């Protein structure tokens, strides 16, 4: 179906994303793959709802531009300089090693060296959008592996100009790319950095003083787009320009406002970009030579992974989880590969260029699946490989789990001068809390030998604050068998978990129950209830609800009986709280009567 109107195309893009992305997120495949498959479905090789993907591809590239701008806002010049070893060292080794490996393979297959070098340069590029979006979606961007991935992606953006120069030399068109272009690009970067300090910040203050949000949003977009287009004019990456603009404003007092204004545009355009990439995948070529496209795509991913993983370890990322994350995030081909292959038209035969483009596009589809495999295999393997810490202390209290719940418990205990032995299964969390002065040990609390080394046989109390419900339940069951005299205080994430613990005779603390009651109490105070009245109402509600947990626990698998009990409970609690209100009103009438009697006596 041919569409002409802008609104018709916008409707198709929005519908494709709204339908595909929730389905893929629910299936655990991530939003990036959802957008890519949506693009394949509506593109020229799918339902043909959009016949020319290029009409939206260039526009949607601004999603990547805005993404890099927001990342730049999270950094500053000092942090970028501190990452110089990862940017230039790790990035340079990755690019050179990939080009060398692909060139050697091409020569071994009897292909000309020029074709091997061009293919290697394209394959060395990784997708900034897919890599950073996948890391951000899984909250991995701030990890060492995530930061290494970002550094290499930044280097790849910087490497575009020299790589284009090499392509021009191979194509015999060096006259079209002079050293003056390189000098102009470097000069423009210097000018942008200076302008950010001397010009952009005063302009931001001037616009902000107008107190018109739409004008501030407009200036924010003008800043990002203008910087990106200036970089493109200098034959540099638009994303690099946006990143530099973000770094320039990272210390600005308007950083948070800029983030809030840009983020909605970034999300929509980035999704549109992934849809456009999906539409460019040439399924016709895939149908003609499926084995060639699949072999080349998988070969690209395997080769880059084989290069990236040891390279990360060479530069000090010895933790297998970090090195594996780095390899997965950069294993695909990138958007600049399309640019390099297009510029190398005199070197690459048309069929070869189409095949390389298809391999890069298909490799992008593999990243979400590789991240799933990484989460299930590599991260668990890394945890298994690290031996638990030797626990050199024995306290009356042990806290298993040092997340947001366990930290509050430990802070209260420390405030009272009570020491606790803290155990957590996440090595990253343990290292983080140690920086803040907390003593914590890495280990799996479901292992009874670890708890025994922590003094569980002599301890008086164990707080089970583990995030994983299954692991928490397993810990409780084993502790009751192995250490029957150890008292337990258990965290429950839901009412259902509280039912399970109640069946075992254990009173579980529901993690949001107390805070929800506190919120209800504050609301009642706003509505005019006195503090002592609020305390009585909440106490009555708490007692009744805790008792109902015990009553409902045996019925948790009988839905009909559970519904009947819940309905009866609502009626009971209404009567109980109504009685409290009546008592308050009656007390108020009695006090008014006493005041009137005293007035008459006077």
């Amino acid at each position: 179906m041919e569409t002409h109107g802008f609104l018709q195309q916008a409707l198709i893009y929005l519908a494709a994303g709204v339908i595909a992305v929730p389905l893929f997120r629910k299936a655990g495949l991530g939003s990036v793959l959802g957008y890519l498959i949506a693009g394949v479905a509506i593109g020229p090789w799918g339902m043909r709802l959009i016949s020319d993907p290029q009409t939206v591809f260039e526009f949607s590239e601004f999603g990547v531009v805005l993404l890099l701008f927001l990342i730049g806002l999270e950094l500053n010049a000092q942090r970028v300089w501190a990452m110089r070893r990862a940017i230039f060292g790790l990035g340079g080794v990755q690019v050179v090693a990939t080009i060398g490996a692909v060139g050697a393979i091409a020569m071994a297959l009897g292909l000309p060296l020029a074709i091997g070098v061009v293919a290697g340069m394209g394959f060395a590029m990784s997708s900034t959008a897919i890599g950073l979006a996948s890391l951000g979606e899984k909250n991995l961007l701030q990890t060492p592996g995530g930061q290494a991935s970002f550094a290499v992606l930044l280097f790849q953006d910087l490497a575009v100009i020299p790589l284009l120069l090499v392509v021009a030399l191979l194509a015999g068109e060096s006259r079209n790319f002079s050293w003056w272009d390189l000098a102009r690009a470097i000069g423009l970067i210097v000018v942008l950095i200076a302008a950010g300090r001397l010009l952009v910040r005063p302009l931001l203050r001037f616009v902000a003083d107008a107190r018109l949000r739409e004008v501030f949003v407009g200036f924010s977009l003008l800043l990002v787009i203008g910087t990106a287009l200036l970089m493109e004019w200098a034959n540099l990456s638009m994303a690099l320009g946006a990143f530099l603009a973000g770094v320039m404003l990272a210390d600005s007092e308007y950083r948070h406002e800029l983030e809030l204004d840009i983020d909605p545009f970034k999300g929509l355009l980035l999704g549109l970009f992934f849809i456009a990439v999906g539409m460019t995948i040439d399924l016709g070529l895939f149908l003609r030579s499926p084995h060639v496209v699949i072999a080349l795509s998988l070969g690209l991913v395997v080769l880059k992974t084989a290069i990236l993983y040891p390279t990360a370890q060479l530069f000090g990322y010895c933790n297998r989880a970090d090195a594996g994350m780095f390899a997965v995030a950069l294993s695909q081909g990138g958007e600049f590969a399309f640019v390099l292959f297009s510029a190398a038209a005199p070197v690459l035969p048309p069929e070869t260029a189409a095949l390389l483009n298809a391999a890069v596009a298909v490799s992008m589809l593999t990243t979400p699946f590789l991240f799933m495999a990484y989460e299930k295999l590599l991260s668990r393997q890394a945890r298994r490989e690290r031996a638990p810490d030797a626990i050199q202390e024995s306290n009356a209290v042990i806290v298993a789990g040092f997340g947001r719940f366990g930290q509050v418990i430990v802070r209260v205990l420390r405030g009272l001068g009570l020491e606790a032995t803290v155990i957590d299964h996440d090595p990253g969390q343990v290292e983080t809390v140690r920086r803040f002065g907390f003593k914590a040990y890495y280990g799996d609390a479901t292992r009874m030998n670890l708890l025994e080394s922590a003094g569980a046989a002599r301890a008086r109390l164990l707080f089970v604050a583990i995030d994983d419900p299954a692991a928490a339940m397993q810990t409780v069951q084993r502790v009751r068998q192995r250490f029957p005299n150890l008292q337990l205080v258990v965290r429950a994430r839901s009412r259902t978990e509280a039912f399970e613990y109640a069946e075992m005779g254990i009173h579980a603390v529901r993690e949001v129950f107390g805070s929800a009651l506190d919120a209800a109490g504050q609301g009642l105070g706003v509505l005019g209830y006195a503090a002592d009245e609020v305390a009585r109402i909440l106490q009555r509600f708490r007692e009744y609800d805790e008792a109902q947990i015990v009553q409902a626990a045996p019925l948790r698998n009988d839905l009909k009986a559970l519904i009947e009990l819940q309905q009866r409970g609502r009626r009971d609690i209404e009567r109980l709280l109504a009685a409290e209100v009546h008592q308050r009103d009656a007390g108020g009438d009695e006090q008014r009567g006493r005041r009137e009697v005293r007035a008459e006596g006077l």
Side-chain angles (χ1 to χ4, degrees):
M1 181 180 87
E2 184 70 28
T3 55
H4 301 285
F6 169 77
L7 292 179
Q8 288 177 301
Q9 293 199 28
L11 179 65
I12 293 171
Y13 294 130
L14 290 172
V18 168
I19 293 171
V21 173
L23 291 175
F24 277 77
R25 285 292 298 271
K26 191 171 184 179
L29 299 176
S31 60
V32 174
L33 186 60
Y35 283 120
L36 290 171
I37 297 300
V40 173
I42 66 174
W45 300 101
M47 292 181 287
R48 299 183 181 179
L49 299 177
I50 303 294
S51 60
D52 184 11
Q54 293 302 323
T55 57
V56 73
F57 196 84
E58 293 182 1
F59 174 71
S60 66
E61 281 185 308
F62 278 107
V64 185
V65 169
L66 296 177
L67 173 65
L68 266 294
F69 176 73
L70 291 177
I71 291 174
L73 283 176
E74 297 297 329
L75 301 173
N76 52 41
Q78 290 75 20
R79 286 188 63 188
V80 173
W81 178 248
M83 295 171 63
R84 63 189 182 279
R85 181 172 180 267
I87 294 173
F88 296 101
L90 184 58
V93 169
Q94 179 267 322
V95 170
V96 172
T98 304
I99 295 173
V102 174
I105 293 172
M107 290 184 65
L109 295 175
L111 296 173
L113 177 61
I115 292 179
V117 171
V118 171
M121 289 190 294
F123 288 172
M125 300 291 103
S126 301
S127 174
T128 301
I130 291 177
L132 294 184
S134 298
L135 290 168
E137 185 178 10
K138 299 179 182 300
N139 296 318
L140 297 173
L141 192 55
Q142 298 304 320
T143 62
Q147 289 295 290
S149 303
F150 167 71
V152 171
L153 288 168
L154 182 58
F155 176 82
Q156 290 176 0
D157 284 347
L158 290 169
V160 170
I161 278 194
L163 291 180
L164 284 173
L165 175 60
V166 173
V167 169
L169 291 171
L170 291 173
E173 297 177 357
S174 56
R175 63 182 181 278
N176 296 329
F177 197 104
S178 64
W179 290 103
W180 165 246
D181 294 319
L182 182 60
R184 180 179 60 181
I186 295 174
L188 181 58
I189 292 176
V190 173
V191 169
L192 280 177
I193 294 174
R197 295 286 182 181
L198 303 175
L199 181 63
V200 175
R201 292 188 182 185
L203 280 175
L204 267 176
R205 296 189 188 98
F206 176 76
V207 173
D209 287 341
R211 301 186 183 278
L212 293 173
R213 185 171 181 80
E214 63 274 17
V215 176
F216 191 85
V217 172
F219 181 79
S220 304
L221 293 173
L222 175 66
L223 173 66
V224 178
I225 295 173
T227 308
L229 291 178
L230 277 175
M231 282 295 188
E232 187 181 40
W233 170 73
N235 292 321
L236 278 171
S237 160
M238 291 193 296
L240 175 62
F243 172 74
L244 290 175
V247 171
M248 289 187 300
L249 298 173
D251 296 325
S252 167
E253 63 270 31
Y254 299 107
R255 178 171 69 90
H256 296 296
E257 286 82 357
L258 288 167
E259 288 178 339
L260 292 174
D261 291 339
I262 296 295
D263 192 65
F265 297 98
K266 181 266 295 182
L268 283 173
L269 289 175
L270 201 57
L272 187 61
F273 173 80
F274 293 135
I275 291 177
V277 170
M279 289 191 295
T280 61
I281 296 176
D282 189 348
L283 293 184
L285 180 61
F286 183 84
L287 294 175
R288 292 194 302 273
S289 306
H291 57 286
V292 177
V293 175
I294 292 176
L296 194 56
S297 303
L298 295 181
L300 163 61
V301 172
V302 170
L303 176 65
K304 290 191 71 173
T305 303
I307 293 173
L308 290 163
Y309 187 81
T311 302
Q313 293 190 318
L314 179 66
F315 277 79
Y317 297 92
C318 299
N319 186 302
R320 290 193 176 186
D322 289 328
M325 179 200 310
F326 172 74
V328 167
L330 304 182
S331 61
Q332 77 293 126
E335 303 83 24
F336 286 117
F338 303 134
V339 177
L340 289 166
F341 295 154
S342 176
V347 177
L348 295 177
E351 186 67 21
T352 302
L355 193 61
L356 294 177
N357 283 327
V360 169
V362 173
S363 72
M364 293 179 177
L365 296 174
T366 66
T367 304
F369 294 105
L370 290 176
F371 263 108
M372 292 175 62
Y374 161 77
E375 289 182 326
K376 291 183 179 180
L377 299 176
L378 291 180
S379 60
R380 293 180 184 176
Q381 181 181 358
R383 289 177 181 177
R384 286 198 301 268
E385 289 175 350
R386 173 172 171 174
D389 294 337
I391 300 177
Q392 304 294 338
E393 60 180 326
S394 179
N395 296 303
V397 181
I398 302 172
V399 179
F402 203 41
R404 55 192 173 91
F405 195 89
Q407 289 175 27
V408 175
I409 295 171
V410 173
R411 288 172 61 195
V412 172
L413 294 175
R414 288 187 63 174
L416 295 172
L418 299 174
E419 293 296 328
T421 304
V422 180
I423 303 169
D424 197 275
H425 73 287
D426 185 347
Q429 177 72 354
V430 170
E431 296 301 325
T432 299
V433 299
R434 283 177 179 173
R435 295 194 192 105
F436 287 88
F438 288 99
K439 184 187 293 184
Y441 297 94
Y442 167 74
D444 184 357
T446 63
R447 299 179 180 273
M448 292 301 100
N449 57 347
L450 179 70
L451 288 180
E452 188 168 7
S453 69
R458 300 175 299 278
R460 295 176 55 191
L461 176 63
L462 170 64
F463 286 98
V464 181
I466 300 172
D467 284 334
D468 184 355
M473 181 63 67
Q474 191 177 55
T475 301
V476 169
Q477 292 170 342
R478 292 178 176 178
V479 166
R480 295 194 70 184
Q481 294 176 357
R482 184 76 171 269
F483 309 106
N485 296 324
L486 182 60
Q487 298 295 311
L488 294 169
V489 175
V490 183
R491 163 203 190 180
R493 297 173 66 96
S494 66
R495 197 176 185 87
T496 302
E497 287 181 35
F499 288 159
E500 295 181 21
Y501 287 117
E503 282 191 314
M504 299 169 59
I506 296 175
H507 171 72
V509 180
R510 285 170 281 166
E511 64 174 8
V512 298
F513 184 63
S515 58
L517 286 181
D518 290 342
Q522 291 187 21
L524 292 176
V526 173
L527 295 174
Y529 287 78
D532 58 337
E533 295 170 336
V534 171
R536 287 200 311 273
I537 290 171
L538 297 185
Q539 182 62 28
R540 182 66 62 89
F541 183 89
R542 179 188 290 273
E543 291 172 353
Y544 183 84
D545 194 72
E546 297 290 1
Q548 196 178 47
I549 289 287
V550 178
Q551 296 175 20
L555 306 175
R556 64 189 183 91
N557 294 320
D558 187 344
L559 183 60
K560 182 178 179 182
L562 194 60
I563 291 174
E564 291 177 356
L565 180 64
Q566 292 291 99
Q567 291 175 343
R568 187 166 65 250
R570 283 198 297 269
R571 292 193 296 269
D572 290 344
I573 199 65
E574 286 173 4
R575 285 195 295 268
L576 284 172
L577 298 187
E580 288 289 343
V581 174
H582 177 73
Q583 180 180 350
R584 178 194 68 166
D585 294 340
D589 292 342
E590 183 178 351
Q591 290 177 359
R592 284 193 297 273
R594 289 174 181 172
R595 287 197 296 268
E596 291 172 358
V597 169
R598 287 198 296 270
E600 290 176 358
L602 292 174

